[in-house]
């Protein structure tokens, strides 16, 4: 089984519901005929209306951008994994660097969130990546290895089939500075070899590893042509239908 090619848009805290519906419909119309998988990670408020509107197919799927680590309880303002699963939202992003930074989510908490998501039957796009200081110190591979070891590598082989990994160097997110295709490939190959050591060849070869960090219509092709880059997790450029469709077409 060849691993999936995925273009995932992370809208973050952008779009009101009307803009969001228009954007999702435009993207879904263009993406449905493709062999690749398109995922739209939208604000919680958009999930239910979009689920109705775009009739999520195996080609166009919705994702939440976070979930709580408990299934239910007195956690005002939070959304749980079973709530998402009950709405038939297939994916959730966990470990995005913005949540690690602004919401103080560490590897230990992310390990609990992964457990909650998988127990609820969700698939997870799990983000990892280093800051600029770590990259400059040439410690980026070790840093990502620690993130994966402390959060992700608690999972069983069967559970790993529900994981997509997104490598997102923090210095490239929203900065307009993209990792070079060679930098992306180096890390993706390193992650795949970590997967092989921990879970064996099958999981290593079948796990999609996405690159994120200033992916655009005009650089996606080169990034996606790298052997171990299976697509992108796209922030800013996913908010414009034309640009995002260009990225989907870059495979
Ligand atoms: P960007 O964001 O494409 O705007 O750099 C990527 C992300 O945060 O997932």
């Amino acid at each position: 089984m060849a691993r999936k090619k995925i273009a995932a848009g992370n809208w973050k805290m952008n779009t009101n519901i009307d803009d969001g519906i228009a954007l999702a419909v435009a993207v879904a119309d263009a993406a449905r005929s493709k062999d690749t998988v398109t995922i739209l990670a939208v604000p919680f408020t958009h999930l239910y209306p979009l689920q109705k509107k775009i009739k999520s197919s195996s080609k166009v799927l919705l994702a939440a951008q976070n979930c709580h680590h408990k299934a239910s309880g007195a956690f005002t303002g939070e959304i749980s994994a079973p709530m998402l699963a009950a709405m038939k939202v297939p994916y959730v992003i966990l470990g995005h660097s913005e949540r690690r930074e602004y919401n103080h989510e560490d590897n230990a908490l992310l390990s609990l969130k992964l457990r909650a998501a998988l127990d609820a039957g969700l698939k997870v796009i799990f983000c990892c990546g280093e800051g600029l200081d770590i990259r400059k110190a040439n410690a980026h591979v070790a840093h990502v290895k620690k993130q994966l070891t402390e959060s992700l590598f608690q999972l069983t082989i069967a559970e790993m089939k529900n994981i997509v990994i997104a490598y997102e160097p923090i210095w490239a997110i929203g900065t307009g500075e993209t990792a070079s295709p060679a930098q992306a490939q180096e890390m993706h190959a390193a992650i795949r070899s970590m997967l092989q050591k921990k879970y064996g060849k099958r999981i290593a070869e079948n796990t999609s590893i996405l690159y994120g960090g200033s992916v655009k219509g005009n650089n996606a092709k080169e990034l996606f042509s790298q052997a171990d880059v299976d697509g992108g997790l796209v922030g800013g450029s996913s908010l414009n239908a034309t640009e995002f469709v260009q990225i989907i077409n870059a495979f």
Side-chain angles (χ1 to χ4, degrees):
M1 189 188 82
R3 51 185 182 260
K4 288 192 190 91
K5 300 285 181 197
I6 300 173
N10 174 13
W11 292 6
K12 310 190 180 183
M13 195 174 71
N14 292 299
T15 74
N16 62 33
I17 187 64
D18 293 337
D19 297 340
I21 288 175
L23 176 57
V25 167
V27 170
D29 285 349
R32 230 172 244 121
S33 60
K34 306 284 169 198
D35 292 333
T36 52
V37 175
T38 301
I39 299 175
L40 301 177
V42 303
F44 285 129
T45 48
H46 297 22
L47 286 167
Y48 194 64
L50 284 185
Q51 193 77 286
K52 303 268 159 220
K53 204 83 192 173
I54 64 172
K55 307 228 180 337
S56 203
S57 66
S58 57
K59 301 279 180 60
V60 183
L61 298 162
L62 291 175
Q65 298 171 12
N66 175 43
C67 69
H68 197 264
H69 63 282
K70 295 272 188 175
S72 64
F75 301 102
T76 302
E78 295 291 339
I79 304 280
S80 74
M83 290 174 185
L84 298 170
M87 281 201 312
K88 306 212 177 338
V89 172
Y91 277 93
V92 61
I93 296 179
L94 292 178
H96 192 279
S97 61
E98 285 151 16
R99 292 206 59 91
R100 289 178 189 262
E101 183 179 351
Y102 306 134
N103 300 80
H104 314 291
E105 296 190 359
D106 60 13
N107 294 341
L109 176 65
L110 290 169
S111 133
L112 298 177
K113 289 194 178 210
L114 274 162
R115 171 68 26 238
L118 290 168
D119 285 352
L122 298 175
K123 295 184 196 307
V124 176
I125 300 175
F126 186 77
C127 303
C128 55
E130 81 288 352
L132 190 57
D133 48 337
I134 294 171
R135 164 69 57 171
K136 280 186 174 155
N138 201 29
H140 47 291
V141 173
H143 179 81
V144 165
K145 185 171 185 191
K146 186 168 156 67
Q147 288 179 320
L148 296 183
T149 305
E150 292 183 1
S151 301
L152 196 62
F153 288 177
Q154 55 155 328
L155 304 182
T156 64
I157 289 190
E159 288 171 333
M160 281 303 290
K161 293 181 181 147
N162 295 316
I163 299 295
V164 170
I165 294 175
Y167 167 58
E168 299 202 306
I170 298 168
W171 47 271
I173 295 179
T175 57
E177 188 177 339
T178 315
S180 69
Q183 285 173 321
Q185 171 57 26
E186 180 212 21
M187 183 63 86
H188 284 227
I191 292 172
R192 208 174 295 290
S193 113
M194 292 170 209
L195 287 172
Q196 171 144 359
K197 270 206 191 101
K198 173 74 187 170
Y199 292 105
K201 201 169 163 145
R202 247 182 113 80
I203 290 293
E205 283 183 356
N206 290 334
T207 302
S208 299
I209 307 176
L210 313 183
Y211 167 78
S214 300
V215 176
K216 301 200 182 329
N218 62 14
N219 62 22
K221 215 181 187 102
E222 217 191 336
L223 286 161
F224 296 176
S225 67
Q226 301 300 305
D228 289 292
V229 178
D230 306 309
L233 179 55
V234 184
S237 298
S238 71
L239 294 171
N240 176 302
T242 312
E243 177 100 14
F244 191 56
V245 169
Q246 214 179 325
I247 292 169
I248 294 169
N249 287 335
F251 288 108

